[in-house]
Amino acid sequence: MGISQPTKAPEIIRERDEILSSQINEILELYRGERSELIPILQEVQQRLGYLPEAGLKRIARYIDLPESTVFGVATFYAQFKLVPTGRNMIRVCRGTGCYVRGASQILETLERELGIKAGETTSDLEYTLETVACFGSCALAPVVVVNDRVYGRMTTEKAQKILANKKEK
Amino acid sequence: MTSTVSTVSEQKGLETITLTIDGKEVQAPKGSTVLEAALGADIYIPTLCYDPDLTPYGACRLCLVEIEGMRGLPTSCTTAATDGMVVHTETPAVNQARRVAMELIMANHHGDCLTCAKNQQCELQKIARYLNIEQEHFDRLRKSTQILPVDTGHPAFIRDPNKCILCGKCVRACHEIAGAGAIDIAFRGYAAKVSTMGDKSIVESLCESCGECLARCPTGSLLPKQTVSPTREVKTICPYCGVGCSIYLGIRGNEIVAVRGDEESPVNRGGLCVKGRFGFDFTNHPNRLTRPLLRKEGYGKNIEVDGNFQEVFREASWDEALELVADKLTHIKEKYGPDSLGVLSSAKFTNEENFVVQKFARAVLGTNNVDHCARLCHASTVVAALAAFGDGAMSNSIADFAKADLLFVIGSNTTECHPIIGRIIRQRMESGEIKLIVADPRNIDLARRATVHLRHKPGTDVALLNAIMHVIIEEGLQDKEFIRGRTEGFDELAATVERYTPEMAEEITGVSKADIVRAAHLFAKADRAAVLYGMGITQHTTGTDNVKSLANLLMLTGNMGREGTGFSPLRGQNNVQGACDMGALPNVYPGYQRVNVEENRLKFESAWGTTLSETPGLTVTEMIDAAHQGKIKVMYVIGENPIMSEPYMSHVKQALQQLEFLVVQDIFPSETAFLADVILPAAAFAEKDGTYTNTERRVQKLNKAVDPPGEAKPDWQIVSELAEKMGHPFGYENTADIMEEIASLTPIYGGIRHRRLEEYGLQWPCYDELDPGTPMLHMGTFTRGLGKFHAVEYRPPAESVSESYPLILTTGRVLEHWHTGTMSRRSEVLDKLNPSGVVDIHPDDAFKLSISDGDLVTIASERGKIEAPVRVTDKSSPGLAFLAFHWRESPANALTNPALDPVAKIPEFKVSAVRAMLSVLDRASQDNEFLAKLAENPAEALKEYQLSEEEKAAIISGDIRKIESWTGKLDNRLKQWLIAKLSQEK
Ligand code: SF4
Ligand code: SF4
Ligand code: SF4
Ligand code: FES
Ligand code: FES
């Protein structure tokens, strides 16, 4: 409905969507299609695909007969669900008070600029996801950045750039 | 008061309770909330998230009250009122808590009141004032920063999340009333907001543009783009569909600037669809006809007028134009006899106008050649239902859909074509109280919500229905008492359906045996079942048989003459029921009194003081054929557009070109007007008085709101003036006069008078001035006495697929448009929402044809071809294409089959064999036989053409450069297509 001028999807997106939708169909087959199954289905899709693709949410909405806006509402309500795929590297910047007063914002800004994305986003090559976190509990090391599982303390903007440069070389 | 299924008081019955609010003794229906009890007693409690039509939400916390014996301050909107309760709505504690709640709300409301279009109408401001929060304080609390992007994508309204206070009214309206579910609250904590799926613009969501959210938003968060406020309101009726929603037009000067649904109306209870809410700007469109126009000398009818309208026609005075028409009609009548004249009346204009038009044809012209477009939609209903029940109309009322246990929707895309009825079905399904069977070849919205979806092949309805009845009879589930006491012909029916086993039907219809059995069980076991149907049933060469089968099913299970049951043909046009009632049909006078019954003729002859023809006239489709053969010389087409609405467009066009004289009377220069000799400018719905009769036989009053543009006049006046010029003055002062005459000659309208209709209208039959009307027909006995079963056999559609035309095209409508688009395409909002025709094709067919979403395709049948972009969607079935008939750029009726139902003479719009081809390919293959062959059958092409090894190799490997060296340069899309096609062949 609405403005129904169809748009042409590029071939690649379509192929990727087809793979995703077949995976989602496999998951859905395990469920009866009841509304109460929403959260478990979302969890399973997230686990299998690493995130909840939009086409998948629509598919799920239809399967359990819920409005797609409601499914989207639920998916965005819980922090555990991701709507964009996460990159191979997860960079998390602490934004807790301890880190904040020691310049976490500048570090975040630098990383955002270097990667060309905002916090919460993933680079288009699916290499990096940038996130912020409330407090890692390592305030003594503030400001803190965690790359994958490695903790980097006493960060500076230079150090942040170096970490990225090292990653990119590999 | 409410758009949901039943009003609060209906649900709650008559039992009342008594409580004390602010020292006052208050009575309220049992089951009310404290808030409802207070509001009912005129005690104000501020609210922001309460709406009488929506489930209570308890979010804004403004409706807090103190209740003796209860701890804290409960929200009155979610607290049930009980007998003996003592409530205080204005205590210091309550006021303090409300102020805190209000401050919290305002802290999240970003924006500046001074620049907000809602300023002074904003609930937030009102309540702040009530709570004595000064504007200054208010401004301080309210952040003026705009932090979130505003969604301006919708042509009719904007969504500004900065001003949203998360009262959730829009969300609940969208889910509970519209049943669209386009928006919901998403994200969390501070980021929470009303969002579409994927947080995109509303136009990219499932939004149906009904505006129910907009009508309820307390702040400036949802705002219409049209912000001129009306200075007066006029109550009238929506001119689009047969639901007949009651509306208030907001008028400023001579323009409609706002519309709201009439909350008191039993039809729509305040609700509207996109057409009723946003579709009336066509009345001010610059293309409106404002003066009579005459075709200039020397301009033949074979020229294409479209662009050079001014050049071909010249303006004339009413006198000159009517004089000319009167002369011509008189002259041709004398020369060739009255039956050389034909009149098309219209289901778009009023009962009074239809009455005057058929009277003009019969009494002034002397012919029964008068018909209208009901021929193209429900002619089969009228014929079949008259035969089965004795009345050709819907048996029960719209309100009955809310009382049924089971609804069987067949051949009706209700949510798009009768949106307000569609809503009721959605609401009932959502409540879990009913079962829904949908039979439709397409995967329409209701099909997705249905308990069972029978996806049968187009035109196989009789086989499907016979099989359902087969199961019912075989298992003894029929209503034997009803059959014995109230019907005849059961044995013949039983004998016929005996052969329609589910196995056999599966073969014909493509619906699995199991689903047929399941549907039969659901239907037979429901206590109250109603059948709703539309053009998917009627527009077939077997239309009459299809309707008879539905009548059979209803009588077989005793689902007639009781609440929540019944036979419901959903009438398309706003006044198609009325146009039929008024005798704008070739075989009957008003009230279905046959013209060939002498007693009837004598009655009308004496009333009209003239002699009348006793031979039934020609139907629309027959008139077109007669014009083709030169038997009809003149046509007077009023408010219809046969070029676009009849099947087989080129044939209709030729027929109209051959006429000696064509008069077209309309509000716009329609496609048919281009062929006219004289064009007469008519008034639109808002510019005149009269009545429309909706799908549930409810006669409702239309009230004039604005003046017609220029010299345009209401149709009844034009026709009356013409009659006078032809020496037969009708002498009507106004439309109420005409209704008096209708009532005196039409028993079923005997008690209808304008003054009785101002409130909710009256449902016919209404025999005299004391008769309150008839919400339900056939109670106790059928209009014809006994209900009659008709044993009908399955016959396949007139056209079936072939090698050259492998797809079945079915036509229909879309939500945003109306018929041939004369009105809706000239509504800016509606046209922007849905600007062009799109052909729906199933992914399997798209794959076979190597067509992808958005490609321009050529659809061709034996009768013509058109181009339109394609939408690849599983809403269609394999082998099925769908195209609505609204767009003159891609007129579906250029393709459709004029084959007729033998009795009702309705054409088979729903089944035409077509082929689809990429348009670039279609064009290229016109001068390249090899490409044409390749498109049709690549394997054959390779065999048939004597190709060298080198050429074969090039084709097999998809070497485009080589191929181009023989075919010439190929379009890029064509290259892609070739590569895809050739790789499929491999
Ligand atoms: S216009 Fe209607 S369908 Fe669209 S969001 Fe509002 S309520 Fe929902
Ligand atoms: S947009 Fe309006 S109706 Fe919807 S939640 Fe916000 S304030 Fe309420
Ligand atoms: S449902 Fe029909 S009558 Fe009601 S507003 Fe829509 S088009 Fe008008
Ligand atoms: S504030 Fe950064 S780790 Fe605690
Ligand atoms: S009206 Fe009761 S909480 Fe909003």
Side-chain angles (χ1 to χ4, degrees), chain B residues 190 214 218 241 323-324 366 376 416 440 445 462 568 574 598 603 624 711 714 729 774 817 846 851 855 868 969:
Chain B
Y190 192 70
L214 180 68
C241 86
E323 209 74 62
L324 175 67
L376 310 177
E416 291 198 60
D440 202 296
D445 176 88
V462 169
S568 315
N574 55 330
E598 195 180 357
K603 168 168 133 185
I624 299 286
E711 297 175 14
T774 313
H817 281 296
I851 289 173
D855 273 333
K969 190 110 183 68

Side-chain angles (χ1 to χ4, degrees), chain B residues 31 46 111 142 180 188 192 235 250 271 328-329 455 470 497 644-645 683 686 756 765 768 803 808 814 830:
Chain B
R142 192 173 37 63
R188 167 168 77 105
K235 180 174 157 173
K328 275 280 182 189
L329 292 181
R455 203 167 187 173
H470 171 100
V497 304
M644 286 282 291
S645 61
R756 294 189 68 198
D768 57 55
E803 212 167 286
I808 289 294
V814 301
L830 297 180

Side-chain angles (χ1 to χ4, degrees), chain B residues 16-91:
Chain B
T16 62
I17 50 164
T18 308
L19 61 165
T20 313
I21 305 180
D22 294 344
K24 189 170 154 189
E25 195 151 286
V26 167
Q27 306 260 329
K30 199 171 174 190
S32 310
T33 61
V34 173
L35 178 66
E36 283 163 345
L39 295 177
D42 277 334
I43 296 170
Y44 176 71
I45 293 178
T47 64
L48 277 172
C49 68
Y50 165 78
D51 185 292
D53 303 343
L54 304 173
T55 50
Y57 196 50
C60 73
R61 306 198 55 80
L62 283 170
C63 67
L64 302 169
V65 291
E66 236 176 76
I67 299 175
E68 289 184 9
M70 267 194 209
R71 269 191 296 144
L73 301 174
T75 44
S76 61
C77 70
T78 56
T79 308
T82 54
D83 224 0
M85 207 176 225
V86 181
V87 182
H88 304 281
T89 73
E90 291 268 353
T91 67

Side-chain angles (χ1 to χ4, degrees), chain B residues 237-247 268 271-277 280 417-421 818:
Chain B
I237 303 296
C238 173
Y240 281 108
C241 86
V243 175
C245 293
S246 181
I247 53 177
N268 55 313
L272 292 176
C273 81
V274 56
K275 294 184 288 292
R277 177 101 48 200
F280 298 151
C417 300
H418 297 87
I420 294 297
I421 293 176
W818 185 258

